[in-house]
Amino acid sequence: MNIKQTMKLSQIVSKMGIKIRNAEASQEAVGAELILQIASNAYKAEKEIYGFVSDLKNITIKEAENVDIIELINELKEVKGLKGFFPSSVK
């Protein structure tokens, strides 16, 4: 993940108010909590999410609006640097 993508992701996390509340929980529990928070707050950062996806996949904003969410989630699992980003959100 490059600096530009990190800045976009930081803005998304901030707008959505994403926080990992229990850093001691299992990876599955933390993942489930993140997915729930993202799903319930995505509308707060809709434009930023499209911009992030557009940049990450090197596609237009319009194309980003139509990306399959399951496909995107699976791709995000493989993005270098993304896993290390979220420990900074632990509260």
Side-chain angles (χ1 to χ4, degrees):
M1 202 164 66
N2 64 37
I3 292 173
K4 182 178 179 182
Q5 293 164 340
T6 302
M7 295 301 174
K8 286 182 178 186
L9 186 56
S10 175
Q11 185 178 25
I12 291 166
V13 168
S14 178
K15 272 194 161 188
M16 291 173 53
I18 294 174
K19 300 284 186 225
I20 299 172
R21 291 176 183 85
N22 184 1
E24 303 300 319
S26 69
Q27 184 175 358
E28 292 81 16
V30 170
E33 179 184 351
L34 281 174
I35 290 171
L36 181 60
Q37 287 184 52
I38 291 167
S40 61
N41 292 296
Y43 71 94
K44 295 177 181 177
E46 182 178 2
K47 290 179 183 176
E48 291 83 0
I49 292 169
Y50 294 144
F52 175 74
V53 172
S54 170
D55 188 64
L56 188 67
K57 295 178 68 66
N58 198 27
I59 59 177
T60 68
I61 298 284
K62 203 67 171 157
E63 290 170 321
E65 292 174 2
N66 295 307
V67 168
D68 181 87
I69 190 68
I70 301 302
E71 176 186 316
L72 178 63
I73 290 169
N74 287 328
E75 289 175 16
L76 288 174
K77 291 178 187 176
E78 303 304 318
V79 173
K80 290 185 184 354
L82 188 60
K83 290 179 185 176
F85 181 85
F86 283 100
S88 64
S89 298
V90 176
K91 287 287 175 202

